């Protein structure tokens, strides 16, 4: 199949939304920007054998490479709108391409994000996706806005994906008591980008980041950017039923340090908290896990024991 036919068949999607002037098929995409908005954009690359095992099915690759980009846009409080796809393929495998493009389209449609362009080359399998979104001028959620006394919140549950990675990649057999292994594996391969949550919390949050490298690691980015510290109540970390089925201390360690959760971690000024709680309507998938302190760069637990500080990690 010629490259042109491949693009036409798999990556030229119908019904571009109204903000798209020119989509796939010309030398570049043309996108309409509203004057009261700012463009928010993020890119990530996934290389076979590096970021996912060689035999990962196309639906897992396509889901994760779009989802992690959507998660970055969500962490800015922005709304995803368009994306481009740079695809490097070792060969033209129409079954693979069919499954890949179908799944990609489905996930993109769920978040009203439209494929507007890309590039296709031959080589070892690699996928780069760049998502573009918009946000009202000056309203994006930054890492640098946390203030002393702010409450620390997180969406969803933590540590599931890290357990999933242990199960899949390392065939770790220390999880005999773990209930629902499949759940953890799905959390690793099919992260849910918290796009709706990002848009909702934007009105109340003072800072935000998505948890890709582990709670303590990503929290420390907020702390460094905001020049503050934090106290985390480890007994209030949100754990899935699956993680609750393993030894408590182990589960808490995974929740604090496990990567790939793609949940949102954000801070709320106590003055905005009651309005925030009203807006989320007692939704239990948002959990308060601690508060911001003046101990710059340091994270302690509920007993004031050091969990992490710049250059020191209790879990290393
Ligand atoms: P050029 O040689 O001018 O760079 P290409 O042949 O690379 O043009 O691309 C032609 C059109 O197809 C462009 O609109 C480009 O954005 C789009 N395109 C190429 N590859 C992809 C892809 N994998 N996904 C989406 N659009 C693609
Ligand atoms: Mg090109």
């Amino acid at each position: 199949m010629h490259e042109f036919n491949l693009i036409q068949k798999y990556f030229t999607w119908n019904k571009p939304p109204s903000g798209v002037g020119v989509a796939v098929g010309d030398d570049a995409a043309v996108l309409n920007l509203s004057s009261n908005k700012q463009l928010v954009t993020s890119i990530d690359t996934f290389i076979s054998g590096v970021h996912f095992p060689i035999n990962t099915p196309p639906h897992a690759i396509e889901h994760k490479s779009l989802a992690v980009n959507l998660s970055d846009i969500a962490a800015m409080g922005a709304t995803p709108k368009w994306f481009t796809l740079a695809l490097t393929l070792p060969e033209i495998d129409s079954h693979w391409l069919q499954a890949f493009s179908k799944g990609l389209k489905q996930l993109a449609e769920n978040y009203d994000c439209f494929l507007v362009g890309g590039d296709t080359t031959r080589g070892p399998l690699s996928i780069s996706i760049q998502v573009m979104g918009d946000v009202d001028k000056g309203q994006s959620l930054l890492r640098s806005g946390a203030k002393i006394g702010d409450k620390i919140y997180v969406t969803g549950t933590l540590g599931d994906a890290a357990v999933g990675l242990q199960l899949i990649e390392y065939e770790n057999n220390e999880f005999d008591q773990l209930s629902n292994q499949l759940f953890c594996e799905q959390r690793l391969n099919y992260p849910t980008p918290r796009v709706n949550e990002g848009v909702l919390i934007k009105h109340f949050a003072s800072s935000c980041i998505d948890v890709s490298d582990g709670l303590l690691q990503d929290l420390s980015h907020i702390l460094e950017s905001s020049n503050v510290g934090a106290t985390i109540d480890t007994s209030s970390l949100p754990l899935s039923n699956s993680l609750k089925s393993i030894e408590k201390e182990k589960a808490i360690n995974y929740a604090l340090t496990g990567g790939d959760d793609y949940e949102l971690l954000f801070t709320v000024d106590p003055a905005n908290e009651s309005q925030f709680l009203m807006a989320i309507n007692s939704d239990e998938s948002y959990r308060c896990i601690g508060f911001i302190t003046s101990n710059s760069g340091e994270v302690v637990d509920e007993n004031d024991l050091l969990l992490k500080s710049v250059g020191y990690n209790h879990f290393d």
Side-chain angles (χ1 to χ4, degrees), residues 2-4 6-8 10-13 22-29 83-89 97 100 104 115-121 128:
H2 191 273
E3 182 197 318
F4 175 77
L6 181 158
I7 296 165
Q8 187 69 25
Y10 298 109
F11 300 115
T12 306
W13 295 353
V22 177
V24 172
D26 213 306
D27 292 314
F83 72 105
T84 54
L85 164 69
L87 194 55
T88 305
L89 298 167
L97 276 162
F100 181 86
L104 194 67
L115 178 61
V116 293
D119 192 28
T120 309
T121 51
S128 289

Side-chain angles (χ1 to χ4, degrees), residues 2-260:
H2 191 273
E3 182 197 318
F4 175 77
N5 296 330
L6 181 158
I7 296 165
Q8 187 69 25
K9 182 161 183 195
Y10 298 109
F11 300 115
T12 306
W13 295 353
N14 283 328
K15 298 200 201 97
S18 59
V20 177
V22 177
V24 172
D26 213 306
D27 292 314
V30 180
L31 307 167
N32 303 331
L33 300 170
S34 315
S35 61
N36 56 342
K37 303 267 188 185
Q38 286 177 305
L39 182 70
V40 179
T41 181
S42 164
I43 184 166
D44 271 296
T45 296
F46 288 80
I47 297 170
S48 177
V50 179
H51 301 100
F52 53 87
I54 297 215
N55 289 325
T56 308
H59 47 89
I61 299 175
E62 131 267 301
H63 181 104
K64 197 155 174 178
S65 38
L66 180 57
V68 302
N69 276 288
L70 290 170
S71 176
D72 280 324
I73 298 293
M76 300 301 287
T79 304
K81 299 187 77 131
W82 313 299
F83 72 105
T84 54
L85 164 69
L87 194 55
T88 305
L89 298 167
E91 62 191 339
I92 295 180
D93 172 344
S94 43
H95 288 294
W96 193 96
L97 276 162
Q98 181 66 40
F100 181 86
S101 70
K102 188 171 168 218
L104 194 67
K105 187 159 191 253
Q106 238 158 39
L107 180 65
E109 275 173 359
N110 287 347
Y111 294 96
D112 291 326
C113 194
F114 194 81
L115 178 61
V116 293
D119 192 28
T120 309
T121 51
R122 193 180 282 261
L125 181 62
S126 145
I127 292 114
S128 289
I129 289 186
Q130 178 176 36
V131 175
M132 289 155 276
D134 69 7
V135 69
D136 289 338
K137 262 186 189 158
Q139 296 294 301
S140 42
L141 286 176
L142 308 182
R143 299 176 177 185
S144 55
K147 298 273 182 306
I148 297 165
D150 284 0
K151 301 287 187 65
I152 301 170
Y153 276 84
V154 70
T155 61
T157 56
L158 297 170
D160 306 315
V163 171
L165 184 69
Q166 290 293 320
L167 292 166
I168 293 177
E169 281 275 271
Y170 304 109
E171 294 172 9
N172 188 332
N173 54 12
E174 61 178 283
F175 293 112
D176 293 343
Q177 338 90 291
L178 180 74
S179 74
N180 206 347
Q181 298 202 355
L182 184 64
F183 168 80
C184 292
E185 295 177 7
Q186 299 278 89
R187 287 273 290 158
L188 175 70
N189 281 334
Y190 301 96
T192 307
R194 302 299 185 188
V195 170
N196 301 331
E197 291 80 351
V199 169
L200 190 152
I201 67 170
K202 167 181 78 173
H203 304 289
F204 312 100
S206 50
S207 70
C208 185
I209 192 169
D210 66 327
V211 182
S212 52
D213 297 331
L215 178 77
L216 287 178
Q217 183 60 47
D218 290 310
L219 175 60
S220 68
H221 292 311
I222 288 189
L223 303 185
E224 278 166 46
S225 300
S226 304
N227 200 18
V228 289
T231 295
I232 295 295
D233 176 8
T234 60
S235 66
S236 63
L237 291 171
L239 301 178
S240 63
N241 286 334
S242 196
L243 251 72
K244 280 182 190 156
S245 71
I246 63 176
E247 202 185 307
K248 192 167 174 200
E249 199 180 340
K250 230 184 233 177
I252 287 176
N253 282 1
Y254 276 108
L256 287 172
T257 61
D260 276 333

